């Protein structure tokens, strides 16, 4: 480029400066804020939302900004992460003892969120150029910028990056786009002394870092531990796949135990339901039996009362009659003494003497009703027997384990077992 004509060079520094100052791919936070899901999404957008629901915080369900991967493998947003204890609010598992970092920045989720946001930008027919704000026509995979046709010429003049027309990218599915951006990611040397990032394909297993060719040649101590970085990535992927397959076996074992536990819980629930029904049935029978005994005792007490009352009532009528005769005779004699003439006394004396003589022969003790004070004691004894038949079962019965088969077996509803 330094051998180009002067006009090209004169305009070149301005364009090069613009390229250096041009913004790179926006952060997932800014893109996610600009993308607000609406209820009238197209079927494709709805399918994409459902496909990538796993990117949301597994606790609050919101889009996970700065997602953190815990040692329990749950991913949370920074707001749901309990910083003091770093305990997972989903499974309540604390970080393992002695762990260096209880939470890891989930760079995979961050990158996928960013690439999905880019895909939404690309599929937007009103997408504008990153630099001049005109309608965009191309996408640069390395700069991760939207470009119009004019800006693309300057961009390619200086950088020679891989670009694709937006019309072509819009015909791709989201999975095809993500696969293309995943393969286009470069790995750079880990040496921070480089002024510009240096792409590399070498990995040092002794340093556990990617190295460029220069750094690999300078690192003579690990000459036998260097390999192609794609080989290292493949081995690590295979290691994770092997561990995942082992976890699938463990998942099946845990699922069997979980099914057994769920079956035990269901059996326990049935036992509880059967026992509750048995208790209600037996208590209802006991209550009905007690109420029947209550009715029987009350009827017997009332019958005894009516019998005794009729007996007393007859004798009480006799007492009332004698009292009336005594009081009538006494009143008649008093009035005759005050108002009767001598002739009237002589004429009525014999009759009154005989009548008063018969009254003197009446004896109140002979007419006294034979009322027994213990007339209801037999009912008291029956009531005590009834109470004892219930309370003694409760107090004296030894604790027994409930038999679910006995609890669920049908019994005669008319029989009331009041004894152990």
């Amino acid at each position: 480029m330094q051998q180009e004509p002067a006009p090209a060079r004169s305009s070149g520094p301005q364009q090069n400066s613009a390229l250096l100052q041009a913004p790179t791919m926006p952060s997932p936070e800014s893109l996610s804020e600009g993308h607000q899901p609406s209820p009238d999404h197209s079927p494709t957008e709805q399918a994409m939302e459902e496909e990538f629901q796993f990117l949301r915080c597994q606790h609050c369900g919101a889009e996970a900004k700065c997602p953190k991967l815990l040692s329990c493998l749950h991913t949370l947003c920074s707001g749901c992460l309990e910083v003091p204890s770093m305990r997972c609010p989903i499974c309540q598992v604390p970080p393992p003892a002695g762990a260096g970092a209880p939470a890891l920045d989930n760079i995979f989720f961050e990158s996928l969120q960013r690439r999905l946001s880019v895909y939404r930008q690309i599929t937007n027919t009103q997408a504008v150029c990153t630099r001049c704000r005109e309608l965009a026509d191309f996408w640069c995979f390395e700069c991760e910028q939207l470009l119009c046709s004019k800006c693309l010429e300057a961009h390619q003049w200086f950088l020679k990056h891989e670009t694709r027309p937006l019309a072509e990218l819009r015909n791709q599915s989201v999975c095809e786009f993500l696969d293309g951006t995943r393969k286009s990611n470069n790995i750079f040397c880990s040496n921070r002394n480089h002024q510009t990032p240096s792409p590399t394909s070498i990995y040092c297993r002794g340093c556990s870092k990617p190295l460029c060719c220069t750094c690999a040649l300078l690192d003579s101590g690990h000459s036998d531990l260097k390999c192609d970085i794609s080989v290292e990535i493949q081995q690590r992927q295979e290691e994770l796949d092997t561990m995942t397959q082992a976890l699938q076996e463990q998942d099946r074992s845990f699922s069997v135990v979980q099914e057994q536990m769920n079956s035990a819980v269901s059996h326990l629930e049935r036992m509880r339901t059967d026992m509750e029904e048995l208790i209600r049935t037996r208590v209802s029978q006991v209550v009905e039996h007690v109420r029947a005994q209550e009715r029987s005792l009350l009827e017997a007490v009332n019958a005894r009362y009516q019998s005794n009352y009729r007996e007393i009532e007859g004798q009480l009528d006799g007492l009332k009659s004698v009292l009336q005769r005594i009081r009538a005779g006494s009143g008649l004699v008093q009035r005759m003494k005050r108002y009767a003439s001598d002739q009237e006394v002589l004429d009525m004396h014999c009759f009154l003497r005989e009548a008063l003589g018969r009254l003197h022969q009446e004896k109140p003790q002979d007419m006294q009703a034979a009322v027994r004070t213990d007339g209801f004691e037999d009912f008291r004894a029956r009531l005590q027997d009834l109470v004892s038949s219930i309370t003694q079962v409760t107090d004296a019965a030894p604790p027994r384990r409930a038999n679910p088969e006995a609890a669920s077996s049908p019994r005669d509803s008319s029989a009331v077992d009041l004894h152990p």
Side-chain angles (χ1 to χ4, degrees):
M1 292 183 184
Q2 296 177 357
Q3 299 176 358
E4 293 295 326
R9 287 196 304 270
S10 61
S11 62
Q14 297 177 358
Q15 293 177 350
N16 192 13
S17 176
L19 283 172
L20 293 176
Q21 296 176 0
T24 59
M25 185 177 184
S27 64
E29 288 83 355
S30 61
L31 289 173
S32 62
E33 291 172 0
H35 173 70
Q36 297 295 336
S38 59
D40 54 350
H41 273 175
S42 65
T44 303
E45 291 175 331
Q46 292 179 356
M48 186 173 67
E49 292 289 341
E50 294 176 0
E51 174 69 20
F52 296 100
Q53 280 290 323
F54 66 89
L55 293 176
R56 294 184 174 274
C57 175
Q58 293 176 310
H59 182 241
C60 67
E63 187 168 351
K65 296 181 180 181
C66 302
K68 300 291 184 180
L69 179 63
L70 304 186
S71 58
C72 60
L73 302 182
H74 285 130
T75 297
L76 305 176
C77 65
S78 56
C80 291
L81 187 61
E82 298 179 2
V83 177
S85 64
M86 302 298 287
R87 182 184 297 271
C88 177
I90 300 175
C91 61
Q92 300 299 320
V93 174
L104 177 71
D105 291 336
N106 197 331
I107 56 176
F108 162 58
F109 276 24
E110 288 182 348
S111 172
L112 192 54
Q113 287 174 350
R114 185 174 65 251
R115 286 184 283 156
L116 285 172
S117 299
V118 170
Y119 179 77
R120 294 189 184 100
Q121 278 193 322
I122 291 175
T123 55
N124 182 8
T125 57
Q126 302 300 319
V128 295
C129 175
T130 307
R131 286 193 266 168
C132 68
R133 313 308 294 174
E134 296 291 334
L135 287 178
D137 300 307
F138 295 90
W139 169 258
C140 177
F141 280 91
E142 297 187 45
C143 293
E144 297 181 340
Q145 291 181 352
L146 290 166
L147 300 170
C148 65
S149 299
K150 293 182 180 180
C151 294
L152 175 67
E153 295 179 4
H155 182 272
Q156 294 300 88
W157 176 268
F158 289 98
L159 300 178
K160 305 294 184 183
H161 286 172
E162 178 188 359
T163 58
R164 297 277 295 277
L166 295 186
E168 180 181 338
L169 294 175
R170 286 166 181 164
N171 290 329
Q172 292 182 348
S173 66
V174 62
C175 294
E176 292 172 341
F177 175 80
L178 293 176
D179 187 62
T181 55
R182 176 176 65 89
K183 293 179 180 178
S184 66
N185 287 339
N186 293 322
I187 298 178
F188 298 96
C189 180
S190 59
N191 190 345
R192 297 183 178 180
N193 295 325
H194 294 311
Q195 294 182 355
T196 58
S198 178
T200 182
S201 61
I202 302 174
Y203 186 82
C204 178
R205 291 175 176 171
C207 301
S208 299
K209 296 178 180 179
L211 300 175
C212 63
C213 293
T214 304
C215 293
L217 291 174
L218 295 175
D219 183 20
S220 59
H222 297 152
S223 57
D224 297 335
L225 298 177
K226 296 181 177 64
C227 65
D228 190 279
I229 198 167
S230 61
V231 175
E232 179 67 19
I233 294 173
Q234 180 66 27
Q235 288 181 356
R236 294 193 178 195
Q237 187 65 52
E238 290 176 355
E239 180 184 7
L240 294 177
D241 290 340
T242 302
M243 296 181 68
T244 303
Q245 292 176 1
L247 284 178
Q248 291 176 354
E249 293 293 333
Q250 194 173 3
D251 181 273
R252 284 190 284 270
S253 300
F254 273 85
S255 297
V256 170
V257 176
Q258 183 185 32
E259 185 177 356
Q260 293 174 351
M261 296 296 292
N262 289 334
S263 177
V265 170
S266 300
H267 181 64
L268 183 64
E269 179 69 20
R270 289 195 300 271
M271 290 174 57
R272 185 193 71 169
T273 303
D274 293 342
M275 182 53 62
E276 288 177 346
E277 183 62 27
L278 178 63
I279 290 173
R280 293 189 185 97
T281 301
R282 305 304 290 168
V283 169
S284 297
Q285 293 174 355
V286 171
V287 170
E288 182 59 32
H289 173 74
V290 171
R291 288 177 177 172
Q293 293 296 317
E294 176 192 20
R295 291 191 294 269
S296 176
L297 286 172
L298 291 176
E299 291 173 358
V301 168
N302 187 57
R304 176 74 60 82
Y305 166 78
Q306 294 294 337
S307 175
N308 291 343
Y309 178 79
R310 285 191 296 268
E311 181 180 353
I312 296 173
E313 186 181 28
Q315 297 183 12
L316 186 60
D317 291 341
L319 287 174
K320 290 180 180 180
S321 176
V322 172
L323 287 173
Q324 290 175 353
R325 289 162 56 196
I326 291 174
R327 290 166 184 168
S330 298
L332 180 59
V333 170
Q334 293 296 328
R335 291 182 181 91
M336 288 181 65
K337 182 179 179 181
R338 184 174 181 179
Y339 300 110
S341 62
D342 295 339
Q343 185 62 46
E344 291 170 348
V345 171
L346 292 174
D347 292 341
M348 297 178 64
H349 174 264
C350 293
F351 182 85
L352 291 174
R353 187 179 58 183
E354 293 177 1
L356 293 175
R358 288 193 297 270
L359 281 175
H360 278 288
Q361 295 176 1
E362 299 287 350
K363 301 298 182 182
Q365 61 272 16
D366 295 336
M367 300 179 63
Q368 184 179 7
V371 180
R372 296 174 299 176
T373 57
D374 59 347
F376 294 94
E377 289 302 320
D378 54 337
F379 298 111
R380 190 186 303 275
R382 289 174 58 183
L383 179 61
Q384 184 61 40
D385 292 341
L386 176 62
V387 173
S388 299
S389 65
I390 298 175
T391 57
Q392 287 178 1
V393 171
T394 304
D395 298 337
R400 295 179 297 179
R401 292 181 61 87
N403 187 352
E405 297 180 356
S408 59
S409 60
R411 298 182 61 180
D412 185 7
S413 60
S414 62
V416 180
D417 184 12
L418 297 177
H419 300 282

